[in-house]
Coordinates of all heavy atoms in Angstrom, one line a residue:
E26 N 0.5 -25.5 47.7 CA -0.6 -26.3 48.3 C -1.9 -26.3 47.4 O -2.5 -27.3 47.3 CB -1.0 -25.8 49.7 CG 0.0 -26.2 50.7 CD -0.3 -25.7 52.1 OE1 -1.2 -24.8 52.3 OE2 0.4 -26.1 53.1
Q27 N -2.1 -25.2 46.7 CA -3.3 -25.1 45.8 C -3.0 -25.8 44.5 O -3.9 -26.4 43.9 CB -3.7 -23.7 45.5 CG -4.3 -23.0 46.7 CD -4.6 -21.5 46.4 OE1 -4.2 -21.0 45.3 NE2 -5.3 -20.8 47.3
G28 N -1.7 -25.8 44.1 CA -1.3 -26.4 42.8 C -1.7 -25.6 41.7 O -2.5 -24.7 41.8
P29 N -1.1 -25.8 40.5 CA -1.4 -25.0 39.4 C -2.7 -25.4 38.7 O -3.1 -26.5 38.8 CB -0.2 -25.2 38.4 CG 0.2 -26.6 38.8 CD 0.0 -26.8 40.3
I30 N -3.3 -24.5 38.0 CA -4.5 -24.7 37.2 C -3.9 -24.8 35.7 O -3.5 -23.7 35.2 CB -5.5 -23.7 37.3 CG1 -6.0 -23.6 38.8 CG2 -6.7 -23.9 36.4 CD1 -6.8 -22.4 39.1
P31 N -3.9 -26.0 35.1 CA -3.2 -26.1 33.8 C -3.7 -25.1 32.7 O -3.0 -24.5 32.0 CB -3.5 -27.5 33.4 CG -3.6 -28.2 34.7 CD -4.3 -27.3 35.6
A32 N -5.0 -24.9 32.7 CA -5.6 -24.0 31.7 C -5.2 -22.5 31.9 O -5.1 -21.8 30.9 CB -7.1 -24.1 31.7
I33 N -5.0 -22.2 33.1 CA -4.6 -20.8 33.4 C -3.1 -20.6 33.5 O -2.5 -19.7 32.9 CB -5.3 -20.3 34.8 CG1 -6.8 -20.3 34.6 CG2 -4.7 -18.9 35.2 CD1 -7.5 -20.1 35.9
D34 N -2.4 -21.5 34.3 CA -1.0 -21.4 34.6 C -0.1 -22.0 33.5 O 1.0 -21.7 33.4 CB -0.6 -22.0 35.9 CG -1.4 -21.3 37.1 OD1 -1.4 -20.1 37.1 OD2 -2.0 -22.0 37.9
G35 N -0.7 -22.9 32.7 CA 0.1 -23.5 31.6 C 1.0 -24.6 32.0 O 1.8 -25.0 31.2
V36 N 0.9 -25.0 33.2 CA 1.8 -26.1 33.7 C 0.9 -27.1 34.5 O -0.1 -26.7 35.1 CB 3.0 -25.6 34.6 CG1 3.9 -24.7 33.8 CG2 2.5 -24.8 35.8
V37 N 1.4 -28.3 34.7 CA 0.7 -29.3 35.5 C 1.3 -29.5 36.8 O 0.7 -30.1 37.7 CB 0.6 -30.7 34.7 CG1 -0.3 -30.5 33.5 CG2 2.0 -31.2 34.4
R38 N 2.5 -29.0 37.0 CA 3.1 -29.0 38.3 C 4.1 -27.8 38.4 O 4.6 -27.4 37.4 CB 3.9 -30.3 38.6 CG 5.0 -30.6 37.7 CD 5.7 -31.9 38.1 NE 6.8 -32.2 37.2 CZ 8.0 -31.8 37.3 NH1 8.4 -31.1 38.3 NH2 8.9 -32.1 36.4
W39 N 4.3 -27.3 39.6 CA 5.2 -26.2 39.8 C 6.6 -26.6 39.7 O 7.1 -27.5 40.3 CB 5.0 -25.5 41.1 CG 3.6 -24.8 41.2 CD1 2.7 -25.1 42.2 CD2 3.1 -23.7 40.5 NE1 1.6 -24.3 42.0 CE2 1.8 -23.4 41.0 CE3 3.6 -23.0 39.4 CZ2 1.0 -22.4 40.4 CZ3 2.8 -22.0 38.8 CH2 1.5 -21.7 39.4
R40 N 7.4 -25.9 38.9 CA 8.8 -26.0 38.8 C 9.4 -24.7 39.4 O 8.7 -23.7 39.6 CB 9.3 -26.1 37.4 CG 8.7 -27.3 36.6 CD 9.0 -27.3 35.2 NE 8.3 -26.1 34.6 CZ 8.5 -25.6 33.4 NH1 9.4 -26.2 32.6 NH2 7.9 -24.6 33.0
A41 N 10.7 -24.8 39.7 CA 11.3 -23.6 40.3 C 11.2 -22.4 39.4 O 10.9 -21.3 39.9 CB 12.8 -23.8 40.6
C42 N 11.4 -22.6 38.1 CA 11.3 -21.4 37.2 C 9.9 -20.8 37.2 O 9.7 -19.6 37.0 CB 11.7 -21.8 35.8 SG 10.8 -23.1 35.0
D43 N 8.8 -21.7 37.4 CA 7.4 -21.2 37.4 C 7.2 -20.3 38.7 O 6.6 -19.3 38.7 CB 6.4 -22.3 37.4 CG 6.6 -23.2 36.2 OD1 6.8 -22.6 35.1 OD2 6.5 -24.4 36.3
L44 N 7.7 -20.8 39.8 CA 7.6 -20.1 41.1 C 8.4 -18.8 41.1 O 7.9 -17.8 41.6 CB 8.0 -21.0 42.3 CG 7.2 -22.2 42.5 CD1 7.8 -23.1 43.6 CD2 5.8 -21.9 42.9
I45 N 9.5 -18.8 40.4 CA 10.3 -17.6 40.3 C 9.6 -16.6 39.5 O 9.5 -15.4 39.8 CB 11.7 -17.9 39.7 CG1 12.6 -18.7 40.6 CG2 12.4 -16.6 39.2 CD1 13.8 -19.3 40.0
M46 N 8.9 -17.0 38.4 CA 8.2 -16.1 37.6 C 7.0 -15.5 38.3 O 6.7 -14.3 38.3 CB 7.7 -16.8 36.3 CG 6.9 -16.0 35.3 SD 6.4 -16.9 33.9 CE 5.2 -18.0 34.6
R47 N 6.3 -16.4 39.1 CA 5.2 -15.9 39.9 C 5.6 -14.9 41.0 O 4.9 -13.9 41.2 CB 4.4 -17.0 40.5 CG 3.7 -18.0 39.6 CD 2.7 -17.3 38.7 NE 1.7 -16.6 39.5 CZ 0.5 -17.1 40.0 NH1 0.2 -18.4 39.7 NH2 -0.3 -16.4 40.7

Side-chain angles (χ1 to χ4, degrees):
E26 286 180 346
Q27 289 176 353
I30 302 169
I33 296 171
D34 299 313
V36 295
V37 294
R38 66 180 175 87
W39 292 121
R40 299 170 296 170
C42 61
D43 302 320
L44 295 173
I45 290 168
M46 184 179 66
R47 294 298 307 271

